[in-house]
Amino acid sequence: MEIFTYPFMIRALIGALIIGVTAPALGTYLVQRRMSLIGDGIGHVALTGVGVGLLLDRSPVIAAVIVSAIGAVAIELIRERGRTSGDMALALLFYGGIAGGVVLVGLSGNSSNAALMSYLFGSLTTTSGADLVTIAVLGALVLVAMLALRPALFAVCHDEEYARVSGLPVRGLNLLLAVTTAVTVTIAMRAVGLLLISALMVVPVATAQQVTRGFRGTMTAAMALGLLAAGAGVWVAGVADTAPGASVVVLAIAVFLLVAVGTAIARRLRRPSVPTAPPVGSEPPEVVLNR
């Protein structure tokens, strides 16, 4: 634990823990809605925001929040009106966002590969005090919204038509999910990077679904697993000198594989043995007739 005597490692740990609990809380709704990959798409759009911030010599994080939120709202409105399918909307996010981001970063004065890689794959150990405050404030807002509005958001994600008939503001809740996804992706940019944040949204939820029943239990377990992966990932990165964001995601996937194997073995052991069928044409002993 000597690595946590350094201030930059403490900031890295706190930032990772905030993302570790916030991303799965939001990801539970996205998985329920079968939109697991939307984090990737918004991450690509956030890269365009980074490019805008660098080009205008403004804060890349704030610019990324604004641009990704606008992109997420636009995609949600397109999906709602049915003008294009969900996978087509995600494709627009993926390709348009990454292309625009690379072009804008290249046009800016800060176009080095190191700067671009830090946004794509995270640079947690360079998190400043101001970055940590931004992550903490925005992460807390997202987490409060996900927990306070859980019944309404679950209803929308489970059955949108039923939620609309029940009188819930479906459009407003859908836009809230879109904006909070954009905010979560952006604040996680420093922790795990724009290309890896979707994994932290989805993998802990997929792991929790194997051992829990019910939406609330899945969300609680996913948040706990996210915290575990984030904290352990930062420690492994400090000890082994690896990339913190990648270490967090690799540990989350490792836990998923362990739980998947463990539940499969336990299910097989609990399965009752199937009696062997008697040969065709033979009579069971208890009904053999006396000659």
Side-chain angles (χ1 to χ4, degrees):
M1 292 297 178
E2 295 180 0
I3 58 173
F4 293 115
T5 59
Y6 300 102
F8 72 91
M9 286 301 299
I10 296 176
R11 291 194 296 269
L13 178 63
I14 295 174
L17 291 177
I18 294 172
I19 301 301
V21 71
T22 303
L26 173 64
T28 308
Y29 297 102
L30 299 181
V31 172
Q32 176 71 27
R33 203 177 181 185
R34 293 179 175 84
M35 295 183 67
S36 302
L37 294 179
I38 193 172
D40 275 334
I42 295 180
H44 287 67
V45 173
L47 183 61
T48 298
V50 171
V52 170
L54 294 176
L55 188 63
L56 301 179
D57 197 20
R58 295 292 186 270
S59 170
V61 175
I62 301 301
V65 169
I66 296 172
V67 172
S68 58
I70 292 173
V73 170
I75 291 300
E76 175 57 34
L77 293 178
I78 292 172
R79 184 199 66 82
E80 180 186 287
R81 294 176 182 274
R83 293 181 179 177
T84 186
S85 61
D87 59 343
M88 184 64 69
L90 285 177
L92 292 173
L93 277 173
F94 270 71
Y95 305 128
I98 195 70
V102 171
V103 169
L104 291 175
V105 171
L107 291 175
S108 67
N110 189 3
S111 58
S112 65
N113 290 334
L116 184 60
M117 293 290 285
S118 68
Y119 292 111
L120 292 177
F121 298 103
S123 183
L124 190 57
T125 54
T126 62
T127 303
S128 65
D131 292 334
L132 188 59
V133 170
T134 302
I135 292 173
V137 172
L138 295 179
L141 291 176
V142 172
L143 190 59
V144 168
M146 294 302 100
L147 296 178
L149 300 176
R150 179 167 53 197
L153 290 174
F154 170 76
V156 170
C157 294
H158 183 68
D159 190 338
E160 193 169 298
E161 292 301 323
Y162 176 80
R164 184 174 286 107
V165 171
S166 301
L168 292 173
V170 173
R171 172 178 289 183
L173 292 171
N174 283 333
L175 293 178
L176 174 65
L177 273 177
V179 172
T180 51
T181 302
V183 171
T184 303
V185 167
T186 307
I187 63 176
M189 180 170 58
R190 303 295 285 175
V192 295
L194 296 174
L195 297 184
L196 297 176
I197 176 56
S198 186
L200 200 54
M201 288 181 177
V202 174
V203 176
V205 180
T207 306
Q209 285 180 332
Q210 300 182 72
V211 295
T212 59
R213 292 184 178 181
F215 187 81
R216 179 180 298 180
T218 299
M219 174 181 281
T220 303
M223 292 166 63
L225 290 169
L227 275 175
L228 174 64
V234 173
W235 178 78
V236 169
V239 172
D241 193 21
T242 57
S247 300
V248 170
V249 173
V250 167
L251 284 177
I253 294 176
V255 172
F256 169 80
L257 293 176
L258 288 175
V259 173
V261 172
T263 53
I265 294 174
R267 197 178 299 118
R268 188 174 184 85
L269 292 176
R270 289 197 304 266
R271 185 181 302 170
S273 58
V274 180
T276 304
V280 178
S282 64
E283 295 180 275
E286 64 271 15
V287 294
V288 173
L289 300 176
N290 293 324
R291 296 185 184 276

